[in-house]
Amino acid sequence: MEYFLFLVSSGLVVGATYGLVGMGFAIIYKATGIVNFAQGELLMLTAYIAFSLASSLSLSLVPLMIVTIPIAMVIGIVLERVFIRPMLGEPLFSIVMVTIGLAVILRGVTIMIWGPDPHEFPTGLSTQVVLIGPVPFYQVQLYGLATLAAVTLAAWAFFRFTRLGIAMRAVAANEGAAMLMGIEVSRIHMIAWALAAAVAALAGILFASMFKLGPTIWFEGLRSFPAVILGGLDSVLGAALGGLVVGLIENLAQGYIGQGLREIAGFVVIVVILMLRPYGLFGAREIERV
Amino acid sequence: MSASILSLTNVQIFYDRVIEAVRDISLDVAEGKIVALLGANGAGKSTVLKAISGTLGREDGEVVNGSISFGGETITHRRAADIVGRGLVQVPEGRRLFPTLTVVENLVMGGYSQAASQTRADLDRVYALFPRVYERRDQIAGYLSGGEQQMVAVGRALMAHPKLLMLDEPSLGLAPQIIDDIFDTIIALNRDTGLTVLLVEQNAQLALNVAAYGYIMENGRIVLDGPSERLKSNADVQEFYLGFGQSGTRKSMRDVKHYKRRKRWLS
Ligand SMILES: Nc1ncnc2c1ncn2[C@@H]1O[C@H](COP(=O)(O)OP(=O)(O)OP(=O)(O)O)[C@@H](O)[C@H]1O
Ligand SMILES: [Mg+2]
């Protein structure tokens, strides 16, 4: 039982980072129709920047997140401007290829600046175990879950109640009509990249503080992919939940069936889910009648 | 004719740099009037409206010659958002609602170019015009009936405080009763608030009954224009657009039906 609870808690926590990365995928996909394969590298770059900030300013976890978010947003905006905006109107496939190229570049640049050796990420948190009911957590893990919950709630409110959030959904639903309303589609794309970079930064900081900050952290991006597919590529909130589910499944599969299984468990889930529900659990079916 | 608020001068439009959709169009819309732009499938009517709205770009269309001016200022290559901001608002062909958004959200987006503080009052104005829209306000727009969608589409455009409203085939695919309702609303807006309207229609009968002036397009050109009364009594217009034979009797119903069917296939 204890073993099971341990697997559940650590699964949820890893799942929270998947969920955050997945939300980034979903935001960009929803607003622009592009699957951004550089999402993991956004996470990597912003996590390293956060590392430098944490070391030089000796910030603790929450202030560090708050400081890193605007920096990440600027990075997202610049990347969109330089790499994606010029591709506007090109075939989607070409744009996706550009994001793959961007991923390789970001990885290279990050390793060039910070070197290939892993770092211990300073969080200023105690390593004592906290019991929530019978389930043991490290403090940093609780911060991870709380962050996912806060971001999910904020995203829900943003897309539901703010003009900008509704405009992002409008652009996703019908770009041409959105233009007729005076919505600047390029501005919406820019904001999508800024938001995706912000959640990537949060995921990166959390992941690095729970484990380590190393040059393979970009792989988190691909690892989160099952979460997005599970939730539905265009469902930001679905991605959050999908992350938790995939994290759980991975951990349980590894714990009970065997090492090695962790990497593939998530992808097995995708295949099964897509066979049952082609749009993911929360993805929108096309509404035909228009 | 009173002062024109919108004028197109020798406008030529290409798609993909090679397809000439509009050859040479000049037209004027007088302030406070309803003006009709008529023509068969593929005449280039929607292309003209897209050019005016500044949305040709996303279909690789381009105004290569001529100029478009609104309220005395040239808007030929302006951004769509800029044009909406000036009060030149289009209700596109086929409604183009945001299907996954609710009705209110669609309306709120219609007011995107306006200050957020106005939204409340503007919504009430639209609800007063279209009580049906009010009843449906919390539903997902994609599931509304065609008539309800057209009301939302018109309401959404009104949220932008248009000085000139462009309607692209608002009667398309709707039952006569609904068409009447929508046209009554537009006539009332024109009469009571002085809203200028540029109405694109294939249904010439309907359009010439509400418009003061009409233009008839064929193959990317204006072939005829004049006050509605004069157009309605023109023999060619009667034969080709109003469905009357030379004798003044209705041409065979088969032709008319065929025409309608064609329309449905192509739109
Ligand atoms: N995106 C596009 N790319 C290339 N050609 C186009 C495009 N849109 C329209 N055309 C062409 O331009 C011409 C005019 O089309 P347009 O849609 O303006 O006609 P319309 O008068 O609105 O017709 P309808 O009554 O069927 O709506 C047609 O020959 C059409 O094939
Ligand atoms: Mg048309």
Side-chain angles (χ1 to χ4, degrees):
Chain A
M1 187 64 190
E2 223 165 70
Y3 183 54
F4 173 77
L5 289 179
F6 167 76
L7 288 177
V8 166
S9 67
S10 53
L12 285 178
V13 167
V14 176
T17 66
Y18 292 165
L20 286 169
V21 182
M23 287 170 98
F25 274 114
I27 289 169
I28 289 183
Y29 181 80
K30 203 174 159 74
T32 69
I34 298 166
V35 178
N36 170 27
F37 280 100
Q39 192 65 24
E41 285 71 10
L42 265 178
L43 176 155
M44 178 179 186
L45 177 62
T46 48
Y48 272 95
I49 290 173
F51 168 73
S52 290
L53 286 172
S55 324
S56 57
L57 305 176
S58 55
L59 294 171
S60 65
L61 194 60
V62 174
L64 179 64
M65 287 177 172
I66 292 169
V67 172
T68 311
I69 284 175
I71 299 174
M73 290 175 111
V74 171
I75 291 173
I77 289 170
V78 170
L79 292 179
E80 194 270 339
R81 241 302 145 53
V82 175
F83 291 91
I84 308 298
R85 182 83 52 95
M87 297 295 292
L88 208 70
E90 302 297 328
L92 275 187
F93 179 75
S94 316
I95 306 180
V96 172
M97 290 308 288
V98 167
T99 69
I100 293 177
L102 177 61
V104 177
I105 294 172
L106 290 181
R107 235 178 278 161
V109 167
T110 310
I111 295 177
M112 234 165 64
I113 299 176
W114 283 277
D117 300 323
H119 300 277
E120 206 59 58
F121 199 92
T123 60
L125 297 176
S126 87
T127 49
Q128 264 193 333
V129 169
V130 188
L131 279 178
I132 304 284
V135 193
F137 287 101
Y138 289 114
Q139 234 182 31
V140 63
Q141 297 183 317
L142 291 178
Y143 275 104
L145 290 172
T147 305
L148 180 72
V151 171
T152 306
L153 190 70
W156 173 78
F158 173 72
F159 286 114
R160 180 78 28 209
F161 300 119
T162 69
R163 261 178 20 142
L164 190 56
I166 300 173
M168 292 188 76
R169 284 164 54 218
V171 168
N174 192 333
E175 213 174 274
M179 280 177 76
L180 287 177
M181 313 288 106
I183 299 171
E184 304 256 24
V185 173
S186 53
R187 197 167 149 253
I188 297 290
H189 289 187
M190 181 185 94
I191 292 166
W193 276 77
L195 293 177
V199 288
L202 294 178
I205 292 171
L206 287 168
F207 193 82
S209 12
M210 284 185 245
F211 304 97
K212 243 186 181 53
L213 180 62
T216 55
I217 194 172
W218 61 269
F219 194 64
E220 267 299 275
L222 286 187
R223 288 272 295 280
S224 311
F225 211 64
V228 206
I229 301 294
L230 180 64
L233 239 185
D234 58 351
S235 169
V236 178
L237 304 185
L241 191 67
L244 292 178
V245 172
V246 171
L248 265 181
I249 291 174
E250 276 190 6
N251 248 31
L252 293 175
Q254 162 169 292
Y256 285 117
I257 309 176
Q259 274 298 335
L261 217 74
R262 180 186 188 120
E263 264 68 36
I264 58 168
F267 287 89
V268 170
V269 171
I270 304 191
V271 173
V272 173
I273 292 285
L274 287 186
M275 281 159 76
L276 298 176
R277 289 193 51 117
Y279 297 94
L281 292 183
F282 304 98
R285 252 161 235 273
E286 298 276 313
I287 296 182
E288 292 292 346
R289 171 186 200 165
V290 171
Chain B
M1 228 172 155
S2 52
S4 71
I5 181 168
L6 173 73
S7 50
L8 276 68
T9 318
N10 302 115
V11 171
Q12 186 186 26
I13 301 168
F14 276 94
Y15 283 112
D16 306 317
R17 291 174 185 276
V18 287
I19 304 164
E20 188 186 39
V22 170
R23 285 192 191 159
D24 179 5
I25 290 264
S26 297
L27 63 78
D28 282 285
V29 178
E31 186 150 19
K33 291 284 190 297
I34 299 181
V35 173
L37 178 60
L38 310 173
N41 289 125
K45 307 177 300 294
S46 298
T47 302
V48 168
L49 290 200
K50 285 175 200 160
I52 299 171
S53 300
T55 53
L56 275 175
R58 60 187 303 278
E59 294 179 39
D60 274 326
E62 197 189 352
V63 175
V64 292
N65 258 316
S67 73
I68 303 170
S69 73
F70 181 67
E73 283 179 70
T74 304
I75 54 162
T76 318
H77 298 287
R78 297 270 173 183
R79 293 175 353 269
D82 176 280
I83 291 168
V84 176
R86 291 162 186 262
L88 188 44
V89 183
Q90 187 190 161
V91 179
E93 189 173 349
R95 277 94 65 173
R96 302 280 180 270
L97 295 186
F98 303 112
T100 50
L101 271 55
T102 65
V103 168
V104 195
E105 286 171 340
N106 269 273
L107 295 176
V108 168
M109 287 299 102
Y112 192 81
S113 59
Q114 307 294 308
S117 55
Q118 286 190 22
T119 307
R120 196 62 262 162
D122 290 345
L123 280 175
D124 288 340
R125 227 164 28 103
V126 170
Y127 292 151
L129 283 174
F130 299 109
R132 277 275 274 290
V133 170
Y134 178 72
E135 287 165 28
R136 299 272 182 271
R137 65 191 182 282
D138 291 322
Q139 298 194 357
I140 299 293
Y143 294 124
L144 298 184
S145 75
E148 290 165 343
Q149 290 200 4
Q150 188 61 266
M151 292 177 198
V152 175
V154 173
R156 186 177 66 172
L158 292 175
M159 293 291 292
H161 287 262
K163 292 197 185 84
L164 193 161
L165 185 65
M166 299 187 280
L167 297 156
D168 196 345
E169 304 204 35
S171 71
L172 190 67
L174 303 185
Q177 180 56 49
I178 305 279
I179 296 179
D180 284 350
D181 284 355
I182 287 171
F183 274 76
D184 284 348
T185 308
I186 287 162
I187 292 167
L189 281 168
N190 168 260
R191 188 190 52 221
D192 303 339
T193 69
L195 178 68
T196 311
V197 177
L198 175 57
L199 173 64
V200 164
E201 264 297 341
Q202 289 215 21
N203 188 335
Q205 182 88 54
L206 187 67
L208 290 177
N209 280 340
V210 303
Y213 200 89
Y215 290 87
I216 295 180
M217 262 188 102
E218 267 173 27
N219 295 322
R221 281 211 175 87
I222 303 282
V223 291
L224 196 65
D225 69 292
S228 299
E229 289 312 317
R230 181 130 53 84
L231 289 180
K232 274 195 275 191
S233 59
N234 178 298
D236 287 339
V237 176
Q238 290 190 346
E239 176 165 2
F240 294 112
Y241 293 97
L242 298 175
F244 292 103
Q246 260 119 347
S247 60
T249 56
R250 211 160 225 295
K251 268 178 104 178
S252 90
M253 272 312 280
R254 205 174 60 88
D255 290 348
V256 177
K257 274 208 182 118
H258 170 73
Y259 164 79
K260 279 190 183 148
R261 206 162 36 228
R262 210 168 88 93
K263 173 66 206 162
R264 212 173 306 135
W265 278 106
L266 291 174
S267 58

